[in-house]
Amino acid sequence: LRFHDQHLGQRCVIVCNGPSLNKMDLGFLRDEIVFGLNKIYLGLESFGFYPRYMVAVNRKVIAQSADRLRAMNCVKFISDRGADLMPRDALTYHIRTMGVETENRSKRFYRDITEGVREGHTVTHAALQLAYFMGFSKVVIIGMDHNFPQSGAPNSELVMQGDDPNHFSPAYFRGAKWDAPNLAESEISYRAALAAFHADGRAVVDATQGGLCDVFPKADYRAVFGL
């Protein structure tokens, strides 16, 4: 199957979209295999790297980003919930994603993406399942601030008034609809991901600058990447 164990034993970096990215010199990512998430395209020019893979599962995000995502020259994994917005092509693959409330609720992490991908209330969790399926032995997460100064009830639909303080770009959701995070459910998903990686002798570390998530082992990104 395409992508299965394609990166066996290698390291990848999942770049989330928190404001902490602006505190880092990300040029080192040019030499890494990177998963970009959602609207990371807003920062690529200033960040100085380009992702090998892109992941987007939230239909609002896909609708707001379809034109920009289509133009990206990398492999894109898009939820089948947005298949009509981004049809499959040479670089676009649809993944069958499921919310926690649907189909086998007890299964939080799918090792085989042909069975599905659990959204887990965060696109980062979808990326972790893809990374596992591809065979990466170490995943480094950056930009996962796990902190949303402007938010509402978990999973509620909101409209961002003014600049977006939750992401690296003030334009990220400016004036747009977005879904409030569910940090408690996200953490349950992350624990399931960490358990799956550890059970197979693989590692996930969180090298976010000042990130508030306490699920994954912490690391200083400068030490991880030898900077």
Side-chain angles (χ1 to χ4, degrees):
L1 180 68
R2 183 85 192 272
F3 300 112
H4 183 240
D5 283 349
Q6 187 170 306
H7 294 285
L8 198 61
Q10 294 180 280
R11 175 173 76 185
C12 72
V13 185
I14 295 176
V15 180
C16 303
N17 291 172
S20 63
L21 292 181
N22 296 322
K23 302 175 184 176
M24 306 166 70
D25 179 353
L26 297 173
F28 70 92
L29 290 175
R30 284 191 292 267
D31 300 320
E32 300 291 330
I33 301 171
V34 173
F35 283 83
L37 309 179
N38 290 347
K39 298 186 181 182
I40 192 66
Y41 55 79
L42 290 171
L44 294 180
E45 190 171 329
S46 58
F47 292 155
F49 74 92
Y50 206 84
R52 175 88 63 94
Y53 302 108
M54 279 292 305
V55 188
V57 299
N58 182 285
R59 185 173 171 85
K60 290 185 182 71
V61 171
I62 297 168
Q64 294 164 12
S65 309
D67 289 345
R68 295 289 299 271
L69 290 173
R70 267 194 295 271
M72 291 189 70
N73 186 28
C74 64
V75 171
K76 288 150 275 195
F77 295 102
I78 304 297
S79 169
D80 56 358
R81 298 176 193 238
D84 57 319
L85 300 168
M86 284 192 64
R88 180 167 175 149
D89 61 28
L91 291 174
T92 304
Y93 294 83
H94 294 148
I95 51 176
R96 186 171 70 90
T97 66
M98 295 165 284
V100 172
E101 297 76 21
T102 59
E103 295 184 54
N104 192 1
R105 294 183 60 173
S106 65
K107 191 164 186 176
R108 279 278 182 158
F109 187 92
Y110 281 83
R111 291 171 168 84
D112 182 353
I113 65 168
T114 63
E115 297 178 11
V117 173
R118 182 67 71 192
E119 292 179 18
H121 293 272
T122 164
V123 66
T124 307
H125 189 57
L128 283 163
Q129 289 160 89
L130 287 160
Y132 184 97
F133 183 75
M134 292 182 183
F136 288 102
S137 61
K138 184 170 186 177
V139 178
V140 183
I141 300 172
I142 62 172
M144 189 175 70
D145 294 29
H146 208 60
N147 181 34
F148 292 80
Q150 185 178 134
S151 192
N155 304 321
S156 61
E157 182 182 278
L158 305 172
V159 176
M160 181 65 66
Q161 305 295 336
D163 288 351
D164 183 344
N166 302 328
H167 297 91
F168 66 84
S169 169
Y172 200 94
F173 280 127
R174 184 192 290 143
K177 292 180 179 179
W178 65 294
D179 293 326
N182 190 328
L183 298 183
E185 288 287 343
S186 296
E187 290 174 6
I188 294 171
S189 298
Y190 292 152
R191 290 189 187 96
L194 185 62
F197 273 84
H198 278 180
D200 200 28
R202 307 196 228 176
V204 182
V205 298
D206 180 4
T208 300
Q209 285 272 77
L212 300 184
C213 181
D214 61 3
V215 173
F216 301 106
K218 296 285 191 182
D220 186 312
Y221 82 98
R222 288 159 293 212
V224 172
F225 298 103
L227 303 176

